[in-house]
Amino acid sequence: MATKITATQQARQSSTFAGLKMLNDAVAKAKFAQQARSGGVSYVDNVVKVPKYKTLITYNTEAIMTEVPIYEGRQAPKSVADGTKSLTSFREAGQAGIEIGATFQVQVGSGASTSISFGTGRTINVTSGSSTTKYTYGGAEGEFASTLTKILDGVPGLQAKMDGGQLKLETEKSESLTLTDSLFSPLGSLGLTAGNFDLNGTGIEQVQIGTRMAQTGTKQVEVGREYRRDGDREIVTGTHAVQEAVDESEATLTAASRKAILTAALALDNAIGPAEISKGVANPYDQIRGQIGLTQLKTARTRGDLGYSPAQVAVMIQSYTKQMAAASGTNKLG
């Protein structure tokens, strides 16, 4: 039959629970030094989300219209000088019988007279007013005739062309034409006759009869504009101060509360006794030290050092009370 709990065991049990209750009371009544409810100040950006839009533009292609003149070809009196000598076989002016320095003049209507002179080295000099231009042709067959035709066609108001190898001169409008021989009389060698030709023929004259609108290009024209939402973007509108909160666990125990908790912790430690009651027999109350952090409680200075709350210690006391009561009839520890 199991030996009933001895007086020593009963004293150890009573002192342990008395120490637990004392510690529980000290923790429950602990007071803390006054401290700020808030910490330092930091500044945080005020960020606002605003809608972002993109612009969609619609274009049409439109024609660019320009007013242009309308011409009609009409029969009109012209002054005409027809050449009678073929010039296309000549390689240079000398072969046509034209001497170096030979000169003749051309005048259309009352306009300025243009002087044409044949120089050395296959050159033709054209003088109008105070300006002289030199033309040089090659030695190939027909180049002499084609160059001379180009020069005469460039005289203001005059049209020149080769007709069957012969020169044909015609005024562009109803103007008279005057050909004048000068030095060495080259007109005859060209198959032309000096003199005044006054509306002695007819031709086609281009006459403006009006205008019309013609497309001269295209352009892009904006016909619509739409603003469509394209997500959001964040913008900083300023800053605001934020007061940092102080952790409750850092609240400092008053000196009186630290002394009361230390006294209770030491009393409980003494009541529990050694880790083994006898050699090889564990002390059933020793585990309380680790469960409530008895070592930490001896040096507690802040709320965070207290470990278990008073309510948890109270539950532990009740649990051990029931365990010890159940085991008291068979406990063999001495």
Side-chain angles (χ1 to χ4, degrees), residues 6 8 50 74 101 117-118 133 140 145 183 213 239 293 309 317 330:
T6 65
T8 302
V50 296
R74 295 179 181 176
S117 176
F118 299 92
T133 305
L183 190 62
M213 299 303 292
T239 59
S309 69
I317 291 172
T330 58

Side-chain angles (χ1 to χ4, degrees), residues 31-292:
K31 295 186 182 300
F32 302 91
Q34 183 70 28
Q35 69 173 22
R37 293 181 175 272
S38 55
V41 175
S42 61
Y43 291 89
V44 180
D45 288 339
N46 298 327
V47 178
V48 178
K49 272 191 176 182
V50 296
K52 184 171 61 175
Y53 293 90
K54 62 180 178 181
T55 305
L56 301 178
I57 303 175
T58 307
Y59 294 93
N60 271 355
T61 301
E62 291 187 1
I64 298 174
M65 305 302 291
T66 305
E67 187 177 29
V68 296
I70 301 174
Y71 292 94
E72 179 181 83
R74 295 179 181 176
Q75 286 277 345
K78 297 287 183 76
S79 298
V80 180
D82 289 318
T84 59
K85 186 175 180 179
S86 178
L87 304 177
T88 54
S89 62
F90 302 133
R91 294 176 182 272
E92 57 185 34
Q95 293 181 352
I98 301 173
E99 296 184 42
I100 295 173
T103 305
F104 71 96
Q105 285 80 34
V106 180
Q107 183 178 12
V108 177
S110 58
S113 177
T114 299
S115 178
I116 298 171
S117 176
F118 299 92
T120 60
R122 298 192 180 98
T123 59
I124 302 175
N125 298 310
V126 180
T127 301
S128 180
S130 60
S131 175
T132 298
T133 305
K134 179 183 289 188
Y135 295 86
T136 302
Y137 57 90
E141 189 173 292
E143 285 192 29
F144 164 69
S146 63
T147 301
L148 181 60
T149 303
K150 178 181 177 182
I151 290 171
L152 291 169
D153 194 59
V155 175
L158 185 67
Q159 292 180 338
K161 63 181 179 179
M162 298 301 293
D163 186 4
Q166 301 169 348
L167 272 172
K168 182 171 184 176
L169 307 180
E170 181 180 293
T171 56
E172 292 177 353
K173 295 182 179 181
S174 301
E175 299 270 10
S176 63
L177 171 63
T178 302
L179 300 178
T180 305
D181 253 331
S182 187
L183 190 62
F184 302 128
S185 304
L187 286 175
S189 299
L190 297 174
L192 297 170
T193 302
N196 180 261
F197 303 86
D198 191 10
L199 306 180
N200 59 333
T202 58
I204 300 299
E205 182 177 341
Q206 296 296 319
V207 179
Q208 183 175 344
I209 59 174
T211 59
R212 66 183 179 87
M213 299 303 292
Q215 181 175 334
T216 56
T218 59
K219 60 182 178 180
Q220 295 292 102
V221 179
E222 182 181 328
V223 295
R225 186 179 289 254
E226 177 186 354
Y227 299 94
R228 184 174 297 175
R229 184 163 183 172
D230 186 28
D232 296 305
R233 63 187 180 95
E234 294 184 344
I235 60 172
V236 177
T237 59
T239 59
H240 63 277
V242 176
Q243 193 82 41
E244 296 175 355
V246 173
D247 192 336
E248 275 193 28
S249 65
E250 296 178 1
T252 305
L253 287 162
T254 62
S257 294
R258 286 204 307 274
K259 182 178 180 180
I261 293 171
L262 174 60
T263 301
L266 290 172
L268 177 60
D269 196 26
N270 289 331
I272 292 172
E276 290 184 342
I277 292 178
S278 61
K279 188 173 181 180
V281 179
N283 184 345
Y285 305 115
D286 184 55
Q287 59 186 326
I288 293 175
R289 290 189 175 98
Q291 288 175 330
I292 65 173

